[in-house]
Amino acid sequence: MSEQKETVEGYVEKIVFRNAENGYTVLSLSCEEEEELTCVGTFSFINEGEYVHLTGTMTAHNVYGEQLRVESYEIKEPTDLVSMERYLGSGAIKGVGPALAARMIRHFKEDTFRIIEDEPERLTEVKGISERISREIAIQFEEKRELRSAMLFLQQYGISLNLAVKIYKQYGNRMYEIMRQNPYKLAEDISGVGFRIADEIAKKAGINSDSDFRIKAGMLHILQEASNQGHVYLPEEELYHRTADLLAIDSEKIQHHLMDMVLNKQIVIKKIEEQNCVYSSYYYYAELNCAKMLMDLNLISEYTETQFEHRIIPLQREMDMELDALQKQAVYEAAKHGLLIITGGPGTGKTTTINAIIHFFEQEEQTILLAAPTGRAAKRMSETTGYEAQTIHRLLELNGNVEEDQRQHVQFQRNEENPLEADVIIVDEVSMLDIHLLHALLKAIAVGTRLILVGDVNQLPSVGPGNVLKDIIKSRCFQVVELTKIFRQAAESDIIMNAHKINAGEKLHIDNKSRDFFLLPRDNCNAIISVIIQLVRDKMPKYVNAPMHEIQVLTPMRKGELGVDRLNQILQQYLNPREKGKKEKEFQKSIFREGDKVMQIKNNYQLTWEIKSKYGIVQDSGTGVFNGDCGIIKEINTFAELVTVEFEEGKMVDYPFSALDELELAYAITIHKSQGSEYPAVVMPILNGPRMLFNRNLLYTAVTRAKKCVTIVGSNQMVENMIANVNERKRCTSLDVRLKELEEFGT
């Protein structure tokens, strides 16, 4: 391959490829000699039809032929008639094609661009241009020039092209003032710009480290980070401490800004147990509104126990079952109260109780809707009740057409103006509900509709902010029925019995004579991983009669020798090794291969999915793939640059290569990510780890994810330590406080 330095000029004939994020472009250049030259390089802003001066290295590629690798470039204003006509006719100005461009140039000659800028009304002299079109041409012409200037200006701050376009669209020419004075405003207004990006821009703009703008933006960022850890607020002193650490400034410089932020309605300060607590406004009002809507739903009906007994006896005969006292109470309270919470551990009859409630209200000719937070939980609810259950997102009719902005959160078609049409709504796995989803659900439930919330309060709390089920129960504002009796069939399962022992803090007796609960002692990581591979690949699929990809490895940690990241790399090698004809795609530090088990790691409300028949006919479609959804890579199309993943219920989703950061391998997942799911068999490596993480709550959640078999590989002593460890990361949430306040004031 030979190389030499070249300078060329010409028109951008065609943009063959362009990466909107970094500006990398492949274009076809029409040179003066009427030869087309392929040029590759990074361009901050460029359009087809523009006249450019390029400097770079000429290379003779053995596949693509001669091309110029561009090192620097300059866009030149078209001055000669040919250049002007080509630019106007290139499609850069919408509504102006080659024919109209030619007429404009013939009429105004070298004066054409000046006429467009200074006297656009004269464009009507050209056949085919009305007053409206002349205005549009002038506006677009100016916007192109301004956008080019804006891109060049933003480039000095190291801003990507995608983000630069967002900034310009948001602010227009106000952008220059904002960038120089308060770049932190970008973090408030533009999706995809966080505090750290804004802070980098601010440093390049020369903003002082103790700037008022920086301190306020830093506090909002800390509150947002806290919400990612499940908190709804932070104690005032902790907010000062975290912000001072982030900004590397004295905490005394932070305190006097707090009241300004209250006046600007960015934050709310409330006292809880003599401690000042600081909320971002969104989370304070989300909790307050949830509390108000829950109280509004809690209507009490005049339904007597005598009336109930007359109904429940024939109902039990019809269902061919005898409800125990607590299950009967749950059905009675559901009939009497507008809001009911049912909680209980595995094997305590929650499903039977839900079925009895469904039959009861069916006899009353009431319309019933069933929902759960995740696809797996909804599917399980459908299987155990025989009635259709949906994810809450689907129930609320997720609006996938709205551009998603993290500050606006997700939007649904069902809301206070278009409520759900039902008499009774039953929601399972409520421990997984965060404050966002609860708020959206409650907005869509009209007063007078019965709401029944079902869940296990001892499970891990939601991944998102809030501690919904625990706080509602803790408030003591509503009727709660706790199911405690372990039924005979459930008592035959060591998974269920051991789960209750764990929850009660009792030592497990594991002698490996069980049919469904095993502990295989190993004292080093490599031995543990070797056993896991044998179990998942060779033994468990036959033992529980399930495909290998349904056997789930659950681990407490992301990092470390037995963390998700390392386990997935190793398990991929053994469970889905590289084979001839099996396509793969390397992305960042991961390799994705056809046949891999993968997980979506963030909510994406715009991703579309389709369910097709075996003949390829689309039977159902929709939008939204959610954090924790697992699937199998069915195809990697290197030509179209797409990865096709099949999720639950046969939902097929195409991921562009650029969106693969939303997926990760899922042969092993964290116990937190397993919430709401149920697997035929669970394999858990447990050896050592941080005390705060390795607690009873985590072990209980992991064990209750298994349907047919639990196998712990590692240390029996660590299992005992986890059972004894009741320390949990305390979440700063206050839905219970808001509920008590409303009850006290009789609202």
Side-chain angles (χ1 to χ4, degrees):
M1 185 182 287
S2 61
E3 294 189 356
Q4 63 182 73
K5 207 79 159 180
E6 291 280 351
T7 298
V8 296
E9 288 190 356
Y11 308 98
V12 178
E13 190 71 41
K14 182 175 178 56
I15 293 177
V16 180
F17 170 79
R18 183 163 176 77
N19 184 321
E21 187 62 33
N22 59 25
Y24 178 77
T25 305
V26 179
L27 60 84
S28 175
L29 190 75
S30 179
C31 303
E32 289 181 5
E33 296 82 11
E34 295 300 322
E35 294 178 358
E36 284 196 10
L37 174 65
T38 299
C39 304
V40 296
T42 300
F43 297 82
S44 62
F45 183 78
I46 201 162
N47 271 323
E48 289 180 355
E50 289 185 308
Y51 194 79
V52 291
H53 179 100
L54 307 176
T55 302
T57 304
M58 196 67 75
T59 63
H61 197 279
N62 56 6
V63 176
Y64 301 108
E66 191 175 58
Q67 53 183 224
L68 183 73
R69 194 164 64 236
V70 179
E71 293 163 12
S72 64
Y73 75 99
E74 182 184 354
I75 298 174
K76 295 197 166 186
E77 188 85 345
T79 52
D80 64 273
L81 296 182
V82 174
S83 303
M84 293 164 81
E85 184 178 331
R86 290 186 82 146
Y87 176 72
L88 288 173
S90 68
I93 307 295
K94 285 180 185 172
V96 179
L100 186 54
R103 290 202 297 273
M104 291 168 69
I105 296 297
R106 275 200 306 272
H107 188 79
F108 295 115
K109 299 187 170 51
E110 287 86 353
D111 219 17
T112 302
F113 280 14
R114 187 195 64 76
I115 294 291
I116 294 173
E117 288 181 14
D118 301 335
E119 301 177 79
E121 66 279 1
R122 286 192 56 198
L123 293 175
T124 57
E125 296 172 17
V126 178
K127 184 181 178 183
I129 299 182
S130 64
E131 284 186 26
R132 179 182 62 80
I133 292 172
S134 69
R135 285 194 299 271
E136 287 176 0
I137 290 171
I139 289 167
Q140 284 187 65
F141 194 81
E142 184 60 27
E143 281 179 350
K144 292 287 179 188
R145 179 169 286 171
E146 288 177 357
L147 181 56
R148 187 190 304 154
S149 299
M151 297 300 105
L152 293 170
F153 173 78
L154 292 170
Q155 200 174 26
Q156 65 186 305
Y157 297 102
I159 293 170
S160 73
L161 285 175
N162 252 357
L163 181 52
V165 172
K166 278 186 181 181
I167 292 169
Y168 182 75
K169 282 183 178 176
Q170 177 77 25
Y171 302 120
N173 285 331
R174 287 176 55 228
M175 170 198 82
Y176 299 98
E177 178 189 354
I178 288 165
M179 293 298 295
R180 291 186 182 113
Q181 293 184 8
N182 179 20
Y184 297 100
K185 188 163 175 54
L186 273 60
E188 295 177 36
D189 298 338
I190 299 175
S191 175
V193 180
F195 171 80
R196 297 188 189 282
I197 292 175
D199 203 34
E200 282 299 313
I201 294 169
K203 283 178 189 173
K204 289 174 182 168
I207 305 292
N208 291 335
S209 63
D210 60 352
S211 146
D212 292 355
F213 294 129
R214 184 170 189 255
I215 291 170
K216 290 174 183 176
M219 280 197 273
L220 290 174
H221 173 69
I222 290 298
L223 289 173
Q224 180 58 47
E225 273 198 336
S227 75
N228 295 338
Q229 297 159 0
H231 304 301
V232 171
Y233 67 83
L234 281 179
E236 188 175 342
E237 290 303 319
E238 187 172 348
L239 175 62
Y240 292 154
H241 176 71
R242 288 196 192 188
T243 307
D245 279 354
L246 171 73
L247 304 181
I249 61 173
D250 194 322
S251 64
E252 289 179 5
K253 292 183 178 179
I254 298 169
Q255 298 172 18
H256 70 275
H257 290 290
L258 216 57
M259 199 45 65
D260 283 347
M261 296 175 74
V262 172
L263 294 173
N264 289 332
K265 299 184 178 179
Q266 292 172 294
I267 62 169
V268 173
I269 302 175
K270 287 288 176 180
K271 199 174 280 291
I272 300 176
E273 296 176 355
E274 303 306 311
Q275 183 179 50
N276 278 346
C277 300
V278 185
Y279 303 73
S280 70
S281 292
Y282 172 83
Y283 286 113
Y284 173 74
Y285 288 107
E287 274 198 339
L288 182 61
N289 290 337
C290 283
K292 178 73 168 64
M293 290 185 283
L294 286 166
M295 296 296 276
D296 288 346
L297 288 175
N298 193 30
L299 303 175
I300 312 297
S301 66
E302 297 177 1
Y303 196 82
T304 66
E305 288 190 41
T306 306
Q307 289 173 308
F308 176 72
E309 285 299 328
H310 283 309
R311 297 291 316 284
I312 199 69
I313 293 168
L315 180 69
Q316 289 180 102
R317 274 201 303 268
E318 184 185 312
M319 292 179 66
D320 192 26
M321 67 171 63
E322 184 73 29
L323 299 174
D324 83 330
L326 285 172
Q327 290 175 319
K328 276 187 189 176
Q329 185 194 345
V331 181
Y332 172 64
E333 302 296 356
K336 190 170 177 65
H337 293 87
L339 179 62
L340 172 67
I341 296 90
I342 300 171
T343 185
T348 56
K350 293 194 296 293
T351 297
T352 301
T353 306
I354 291 171
N355 281 329
I357 290 170
I358 291 170
H359 280 84
F360 181 87
F361 285 115
E362 270 195 327
Q363 287 191 348
E364 297 278 313
E365 297 185 344
Q366 305 269 289
T367 55
I368 304 158
L369 291 174
L370 307 183
T374 66
R376 275 184 176 269
K379 184 181 179 185
R380 198 167 73 245
M381 196 180 188
S382 295
E383 290 168 351
T384 54
T385 62
Y387 292 80
E388 184 194 1
Q390 304 173 72
T391 63
I392 295 172
H393 285 90
R394 194 142 201 221
L395 180 76
L396 298 180
E397 297 174 19
L398 175 68
N399 185 348
N401 297 321
V402 177
E403 185 175 343
E404 173 59 10
D405 185 323
Q406 292 302 312
R407 291 157 196 76
Q408 298 302 319
H409 305 287
V410 60
Q411 297 195 34
F412 296 99
Q413 303 279 20
R414 293 289 182 173
N415 49 41
E416 58 271 50
E417 294 174 1
N418 181 29
L420 293 164
E421 295 165 11
D423 300 305
V424 182
I425 297 173
I426 304 174
V427 183
D428 199 6
E429 293 284 2
V430 177
S431 62
M432 297 182 68
L433 268 185
D434 63 21
I435 199 71
H436 300 302
L437 202 49
L438 177 69
H439 190 252
L441 176 66
L442 293 175
K443 282 204 303 181
I445 300 177
V447 174
T449 304
R450 281 184 168 81
L451 177 61
I452 298 160
L453 303 176
V454 185
D456 183 347
V457 76
N458 294 305
Q459 297 282 354
L460 287 169
S462 58
V463 174
N467 211 345
V468 166
L469 182 59
K470 208 167 260 186
D471 279 359
I472 291 174
I473 293 172
K474 187 178 171 185
S475 74
R476 299 180 180 274
C477 293
F478 309 106
Q479 195 66 37
V480 177
V481 177
E482 183 179 3
L483 303 174
T484 54
K485 179 182 175 182
I486 302 173
F487 287 86
R488 181 181 58 79
Q489 191 175 353
E492 294 172 3
S493 162
D494 286 328
I495 295 174
I496 290 173
M497 296 310 295
N498 283 338
H500 284 278
K501 284 181 179 179
I502 290 166
N503 196 37
E506 298 174 14
K507 187 175 178 179
L508 303 184
H509 175 67
I510 307 174
D511 57 9
N512 288 345
K513 293 178 181 176
S514 168
R515 290 178 302 171
D516 61 8
F517 203 105
F518 306 94
L519 192 150
L520 307 179
R522 297 293 186 276
D523 59 7
N524 73 79
C525 295
N526 290 335
I528 289 172
I529 292 170
S530 178
V531 172
I532 289 173
I533 291 166
Q534 289 178 29
L535 287 170
V536 177
R537 184 184 61 189
D538 305 325
K539 296 185 177 179
M540 279 299 157
K542 295 175 187 172
Y543 189 72
V544 298
N545 191 28
M548 183 176 68
H549 69 261
E550 289 187 14
I551 313 302
Q552 189 61 59
V553 178
L554 298 182
T555 179
M557 303 174 294
R558 283 204 64 84
K559 304 298 179 186
E561 291 189 271
L562 294 174
V564 164
D565 296 341
R566 182 165 185 259
L567 281 175
N568 272 320
Q569 286 182 354
I570 295 170
L571 290 171
Q572 183 190 43
Q573 292 174 30
Y574 287 90
L575 305 184
N576 187 32
R578 181 172 287 165
E579 290 177 13
K580 189 177 179 181
K582 189 184 283 185
K583 292 179 187 170
E584 56 183 53
K585 167 64 180 172
E586 188 171 350
F587 184 83
Q588 295 174 357
K589 294 181 181 178
S590 297
I591 292 174
F592 294 104
R593 190 173 292 143
E594 288 175 342
D596 273 339
K597 183 177 179 180
V598 291
M599 173 186 279
Q600 174 80 12
I601 58 172
K602 61 180 279 193
N603 288 337
N604 186 323
Y605 305 107
Q606 273 69 53
L607 267 180
T608 57
W609 52 262
E610 291 182 338
I611 298 175
K612 295 181 179 179
S613 70
K614 63 180 180 179
Y615 302 108
I617 298 168
V618 176
Q619 296 177 317
D620 196 5
S621 63
T623 57
V625 183
F626 305 107
N627 190 355
D629 287 355
C630 285
I632 303 293
I633 294 178
K634 289 296 181 182
E635 182 185 4
I636 296 177
N637 187 327
T638 51
F639 178 76
E641 298 193 343
L642 291 175
V643 172
T644 303
V645 179
E646 181 177 2
F647 288 99
E648 288 279 331
E649 300 171 342
K651 292 179 180 177
M652 307 297 284
V653 179
D654 287 334
Y655 289 82
F657 282 0
S658 59
L660 290 178
D661 58 345
E662 296 190 13
L663 290 175
E664 68 180 21
L665 295 176
Y667 298 102
I669 65 174
T670 62
I671 295 167
H672 277 88
K673 289 279 191 182
S674 72
Q675 287 171 264
S677 297
E678 189 176 66
Y679 311 100
V682 161
V683 179
M684 275 188 285
I686 293 180
L687 189 60
N688 50 49
R691 178 173 166 77
M692 183 57 77
L693 184 61
F694 278 58
N695 57 37
R696 181 187 299 176
N697 195 214
L698 194 82
L699 182 63
Y700 174 79
T701 299
V703 166
T704 54
R705 297 306 92 209
K707 192 173 183 180
K708 296 181 180 177
C709 186
V710 168
T711 307
I712 298 170
V713 188
S715 164
N716 187 43
Q717 184 58 53
M718 180 53 82
V719 172
E720 290 183 9
N721 293 348
M722 289 179 79
I723 294 170
N725 180 15
V726 293
N727 293 324
E728 296 175 37
R729 284 183 178 147
K730 183 183 180 297
R731 287 196 169 194
C732 297
T733 64
S734 52
L735 181 58
D736 58 319
V737 176
R738 303 282 86 86
L739 285 164
K740 286 174 189 171
E741 286 174 352
L742 291 175
E743 186 180 53
E744 186 179 335
F745 290 109
T747 303

